[in-house]
Amino acid sequence: MVVEKTVTEAITYRRSVRIYKQEEEIDTKVVRKCLENAVLAPTSSNLQLWEFYHITSKAVQKKISAACFDQPAAKTAKQLVVIVARKNLWNKRAKANLNFLKKSFGDKPVEAYDSREKFAVSYYKKIIPSLYIDFLGILGWIRFLAFNLLGFFKPVYRQLRNSDMRIVAHKSAALAAQNFMISMAAVGYDTCPMEGSDTLRIKRILDLPRGSEINMVVACGVRDPKGIYGSRFRIPFQEVYKEI
């Protein structure tokens, strides 16, 4: 029975490990449980625009490792997790949120909703589509310019272009990735988030649909001491911490 580390212990323990012990396997069920923790991460508008591909097949791992340029973390990993941003699922996820909200409001007609409930429904029916619907990026730029003009007079939301919404989806996916890696550290497993990869090849290997984007590939295993390339370095805290 593994005694889980505290949050601070897990964060301190976590390092980007680039070489894993080949004689030690990791439990697929434990990795899956850590991925269940990943989906509890905060996500913009609760849209959960992510997917997690848990790679346990050695044949598929070999292909993905090649797409990651066979860097040591990918080549020696016991399992891989590919985190995918799915901005294109916004409509489906918005409807799922809407259905959940209506059930939580109870069996009553729309006319009986209070102001908070009406706003929640309107948010997913009107505001979310107004942010995500686009045509070749044109609508996003129109919204961006209009709201920036309005911004001369009052605070407004300015992340309205297609590129902005892509960033939103990737930020949420990255938060989920961090949940996953801290959860892995808590049970004594190690990870390495990798951005260096041929993302188009990985999409083809996983048969991902158009509109999906690779957020990162996470190597998983048990650290070999040689897999930590040096002492941890961080910019002095006082240089990055600003109390106002």
Side-chain angles (χ1 to χ4, degrees):
M1 184 72 177
V2 176
V3 177
E4 288 196 18
K5 299 174 179 62
T6 66
V7 173
T8 299
E9 287 170 344
I11 290 171
T12 303
Y13 178 82
R14 189 216 63 80
R15 297 292 304 273
S16 292
V17 176
R18 293 173 172 83
I19 301 174
Y20 299 94
K21 290 182 177 180
Q22 294 306 288
E23 69 275 14
E24 289 197 42
E25 300 295 332
I26 57 177
D27 190 331
T28 298
K29 291 180 180 178
V30 173
V31 177
R32 180 188 170 101
K33 180 60 181 176
C34 292
L35 284 168
E36 290 176 4
N37 289 343
V39 303
L40 300 178
T43 168
S44 179
S45 298
N46 201 34
L47 289 179
Q48 303 164 56
L49 300 176
W50 52 40
E51 287 179 339
F52 307 90
Y53 290 78
H54 182 187
I55 315 300
T56 59
S57 162
K58 297 303 179 185
V60 177
Q61 284 183 50
K62 189 173 181 179
K63 291 178 182 178
I64 293 180
S65 176
C68 293
F69 317 121
D70 275 332
Q71 55 185 288
K75 198 168 185 178
T76 65
K78 287 297 180 176
Q79 297 178 24
L80 296 168
V81 170
V82 182
I83 296 170
V84 180
R86 293 297 306 270
K87 183 178 80 71
N88 58 326
L89 292 180
W90 70 265
N91 190 31
K92 181 179 179 180
R93 302 288 165 83
K95 287 178 179 177
N97 271 279
L98 195 56
N99 291 335
F100 174 80
L101 286 171
K102 288 180 177 179
K103 287 179 181 178
S104 68
F105 295 159
D107 186 18
K108 59 184 178 182
V110 175
E111 297 77 24
Y113 287 175
D114 62 27
S115 58
R116 182 186 64 83
E117 292 168 339
K118 287 178 181 176
F119 174 79
V121 170
S122 177
Y123 185 81
Y124 286 104
K125 272 191 171 182
K126 297 178 182 179
I127 297 177
I128 289 298
S130 74
L131 291 172
Y132 281 89
I133 290 176
D134 208 341
F135 178 72
L136 300 176
I138 297 170
L139 295 178
W141 270 102
I142 292 173
R143 290 192 293 263
F144 175 77
L145 294 172
F147 272 72
N148 271 274
L149 287 173
L150 188 60
F152 283 110
F153 308 102
K154 64 177 184 178
V156 296
Y157 186 69
R158 300 172 190 266
Q159 284 65 50
L160 296 160
R161 295 164 293 186
N162 185 47
S163 58
D164 296 322
M165 304 317 294
R166 285 182 60 237
I167 291 171
V168 168
H170 278 278
K171 283 195 293 187
S172 290
L175 288 169
Q178 183 71 342
N179 259 27
F180 169 65
M181 290 186 284
I182 296 302
S183 296
M184 290 282 279
V187 296
Y189 286 168
D190 295 288
T191 55
C192 182
M194 299 177 287
E195 291 186 295
S197 64
D198 185 330
T199 55
L200 179 59
R201 286 182 183 273
I202 294 175
K203 285 180 66 173
R204 288 173 177 166
I205 292 166
L206 299 179
D207 195 25
L208 298 180
R210 184 185 180 93
S212 59
E213 296 185 350
I214 305 299
N215 178 260
M216 67 180 78
V217 180
V218 182
C220 307
V222 175
R223 68 179 65 178
D224 185 306
K226 300 190 297 292
I228 298 178
Y229 286 177
S231 299
R232 175 179 274 137
F233 167 72
R234 286 294 182 270
I235 299 298
F237 185 67
Q238 61 269 23
E239 289 189 29
V240 298
Y241 172 72
K242 315 293 180 184
E243 182 178 351
I244 299 174

